[in-house]
Amino acid sequence: MRYRRKHKGKILIIILLIAILGYSAVANIKTNLNDSPITVLQNLIDIHSTADTDHGWNLILVNRDYYIPKDYEVELTELSNGEKVDSRIYPDLQEMFDDARAEGFQLFVADGYRTEETQQRILDEKIEAYKYEGYSDSEAEKKAKEWVAIPGTSEHQLGIAVDINADTTRSSSDEVYNWLAQNSYKYGFIKRYPSDKTEITGVINEPWHYRYVGRRAAQEIYSQGICLEEYIQGLE
C-alpha cells in the first residue's frame, strides 16, 4: 500500500510539472512522431541551471547542464583573420601564438566568438547532414549534439574559447595539437575536452578546442590531469 501511494505521488508530481510548464514551454520543444512517450516526457521536464561567475568570469562553467545567462555580455577584440574573442583573453592568446610561431609552428584561430544564432545554424546544418546520410530526425539530432553544443551551452558564445587549427602548408595538425596540449596552460588555456574525460564533459575529444581559465587555474588543471568540471567541483 505504501508503494502504491508513493507511485501515485510521483505520477501526480509529473502531471503537475507538465501543467506548470504550460503551452509556451511545450511549443518550444522539438519532438518527433517516432519518439517514445518516455522521451517526450523527459523533454518536457528537462530543466537546466544557469551558469554563474562565482569563481570569476574566467571560470564560468557552461555545458549541457549549465546554460549561459541571458544577460551575459562580452566585449570583443577582432583578430587579423576576422575572428573575434573576449578582449580579456586577447593578450594571453597573442602571446601563446607568438611563442608557438617562434618555435616554428604555424597556427590560427579557426573559430572564436559565436552568436546564439550562429550556433543554432551550425547545429541545424549538422542535423541535416546526418539526415542526408539516412538517419531519422531523432537519430540525426542526437548524433549532431555529440559534435555541436546546444545553443546557449557553447563556450564559443562566451568568447573565451577558440578552435585552433594548423596552417597545414607549413605545419601538420598533429604538431600544432601536440604543442598546444603541452604548452597552452602556460598562457591560461586548457584543452577543454580531453579524450579520457568524455563521460564527464559529455563531449568527444576535440584537440582543437581550447578554453581560457587563467594561468593559475590552467596550471592546476594541467598538473592534476583533470577537466574543468572536476576543477570547479573541487572549488565548491
Side-chain angles (χ1 to χ4, degrees):
M1 181 66 70
R2 183 178 300 175
Y3 171 78
R4 290 183 178 179
R5 288 177 180 174
K6 288 184 178 180
H7 187 63
K8 289 181 180 179
K10 290 181 180 179
I11 293 176
L12 287 174
I13 291 174
I14 292 175
I15 293 174
L16 286 172
L17 282 172
I18 295 174
I20 291 172
L21 287 172
Y23 175 80
S24 60
V26 175
N28 287 327
I29 296 175
K30 297 181 179 178
T31 59
N32 186 281
L33 293 178
N34 295 322
D35 286 342
S36 68
I38 293 177
T39 299
V40 174
L41 183 58
Q42 287 175 335
N43 287 335
L44 287 173
I45 62 176
D46 181 25
I47 300 174
H48 57 261
S49 302
T50 299
D52 60 53
T53 57
D54 288 351
H55 302 296
W57 63 270
N58 55 307
L59 291 176
I60 182 172
L61 178 63
V62 171
N63 54 31
R64 293 186 180 185
D65 295 322
Y66 295 96
Y67 279 54
I68 299 170
K70 292 297 183 181
D71 59 351
Y72 190 85
E73 296 182 355
V74 55
E75 181 180 330
L76 300 170
T77 292
E78 185 171 333
L79 308 180
S80 59
N81 66 349
E83 293 295 327
K84 299 177 181 179
V85 298
D86 187 312
S87 299
R88 293 170 291 190
I89 78 168
Y90 177 74
D92 287 333
L93 179 67
Q94 187 62 57
E95 183 180 351
M96 181 168 71
F97 271 50
D98 287 344
D99 289 350
R101 288 166 179 158
E103 294 183 35
F105 300 99
Q106 298 303 315
L107 63 172
F108 65 97
V109 173
D111 209 353
Y113 171 76
R114 296 176 191 160
T115 63
E116 184 162 343
E117 292 73 22
T118 297
Q119 188 67 27
Q120 183 66 60
R121 175 179 56 78
I122 293 173
L123 177 60
D124 290 342
E125 289 174 351
K126 196 68 173 179
I127 292 173
E128 290 302 315
Y130 278 121
K131 288 166 66 175
Y132 183 78
E133 292 181 16
Y135 291 93
S136 68
D137 289 358
S138 58
E139 290 173 334
E141 183 172 352
K142 181 179 180 180
K143 288 190 69 66
K145 288 178 179 178
E146 293 176 357
W147 291 91
V148 182
I150 300 169
T153 71
S154 172
E155 291 190 328
H156 284 285
Q157 291 177 235
L158 297 172
I160 58 178
V162 288
D163 288 346
I164 302 174
N165 287 350
D167 176 352
T168 53
T169 63
R170 306 171 69 181
S171 297
S172 72
S173 294
D174 286 344
E175 288 175 334
V176 167
Y177 295 156
N178 287 336
W179 188 92
L180 288 170
Q182 296 172 17
N183 295 280
S184 62
Y185 73 92
K186 301 173 185 177
Y187 309 90
F189 290 85
I190 59 169
K191 181 181 177 182
R192 181 64 177 92
Y193 305 117
S195 58
D196 61 339
K197 299 296 181 180
T198 297
E199 291 186 3
I200 299 175
T201 64
V203 180
I204 61 172
N205 178 40
E206 292 190 354
W208 54 81
H209 184 101
Y210 278 79
R211 155 69 192 266
Y212 187 81
V213 294
R215 301 198 181 203
R216 177 180 177 181
Q219 169 67 52
E220 294 175 347
I221 290 172
Y222 176 81
S223 62
Q224 295 175 41
I226 59 178
C227 62
L228 184 58
E229 281 81 0
E230 292 173 305
Y231 183 74
I232 295 297
Q233 184 176 14
L235 297 177
E236 297 174 347

